[in-house]
């Protein structure tokens, strides 16, 4: 299968950047490391490959000790970073069934709720040091809330948050007239017209 072969080649290259000492990928950033692990988990699940499974517990154990923000954990000063790690640990839970990963995702979601403010009518801010309402942080907050609800349906709080986030997001102005999502809101609480990053379209879909 040429697609399988291409995937194997890509994963081999990605793995060549993996640093077991840091639990991250050399030359990447903090949130990018979450995406690297997410892709690795997807590859293992789809292909049945087990050779890269060790990245999951290794990253879980040592990455928090090498958080570039100086924080001992997966949370740093950016709420979107917490969202990337949160959905990654949900993905790890789905593959392994290890509740430890699901509990980590829940704790990251709880951290993200601290970023919700009434400025601009709601939504999660980008960082702990500002009140910028950024699209990706809110998309990840929505995705993580919905994902946790699906896996813990007995806890309605995640569904409540997902619905609250989507109601705000849909009416926030972040979605422009071409049905694309711009980077965030300006100081007047309006769509700032900045880049329509591909990840903003992909995550919400």
């Amino acid at each position: 299968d040429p697609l399988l072969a291409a995937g194997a080649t890509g994963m081999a290259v990605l793995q060549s950047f993996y640093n077991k000492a840091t639990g991250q990928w050399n030359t990447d950033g903090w949130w990018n490391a979450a995406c690297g692990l997410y892709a690795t988990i997807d590859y293992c699940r789809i292909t049945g490959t087990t050779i890269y499974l060790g990245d999951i517990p290794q990253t879980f154990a040592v990455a928090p000790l090498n958080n570039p923000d100086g924080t001992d954990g997966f949370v740093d000063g950016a709420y979107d970073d917490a969202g990337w790690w949160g959905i990654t640990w949900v993905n790890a839970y789905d593959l392994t069934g290890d509740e430890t990963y699901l509990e980590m995702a829940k704790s990251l979601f709880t951290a993200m709720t601290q970023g919700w403010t009434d400025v601009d009518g709601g939504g999660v801010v980008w960082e702990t040091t500002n009140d910028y309402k950024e699209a990706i942080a809110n998309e990840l907050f929505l995705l993580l809330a919905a994902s946790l609800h699906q896996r813990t349906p007995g806890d309605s709080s995640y569904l409540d948050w997902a619905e609250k986030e989507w109601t705000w997001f849909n009416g926030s102005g972040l979605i422009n007239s071409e049905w694309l999502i711009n980077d965030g809101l300006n100081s007047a609480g309006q769509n700032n017209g900045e880049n329509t990053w591909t990840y903003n379209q992909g995550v919400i879909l």
Side-chain angles (χ1 to χ4, degrees), residues 102-116:
L102 186 62
E103 291 304 311
M104 177 57 71
K106 291 178 181 179
S107 71
L108 288 164
F109 179 80
T110 298
M112 292 186 77
T113 64
Q114 303 304 305
W116 184 277

Side-chain angles (χ1 to χ4, degrees), residues 11 14 34-44 88 91:
M11 275 304 306
L14 180 64
C35 294
L37 183 60
Y38 194 103
T40 301
I41 294 167
D42 273 356
Y43 180 81
C44 291
T88 295
N91 206 19

Side-chain angles (χ1 to χ4, degrees), residues 106 148-149 152-160:
K106 291 178 181 179
L148 290 174
H149 169 66
T152 53
D155 186 346
S156 63
S157 66
Y158 296 118
L159 178 60
D160 293 342

Side-chain angles (χ1 to χ4, degrees), residues 51-119:
I51 188 173
Y52 303 124
L53 285 178
D55 290 1
I56 303 173
Q58 183 68 14
T59 296
F60 191 82
V62 304
L65 307 178
N66 296 279
N67 187 325
D69 194 44
T71 305
D72 183 12
F74 287 99
V75 176
D76 63 0
Y79 289 109
D80 54 342
D81 292 1
W84 289 116
W85 281 110
I87 63 170
T88 295
W89 294 123
V90 169
N91 206 19
Y93 165 73
D94 287 348
L95 178 64
T96 67
D98 190 332
E99 294 278 347
T100 305
Y101 301 136
L102 186 62
E103 291 304 311
M104 177 57 71
K106 291 178 181 179
S107 71
L108 288 164
F109 179 80
T110 298
M112 292 186 77
T113 64
Q114 303 304 305
W116 184 277
T117 75
D118 293 331
V119 177

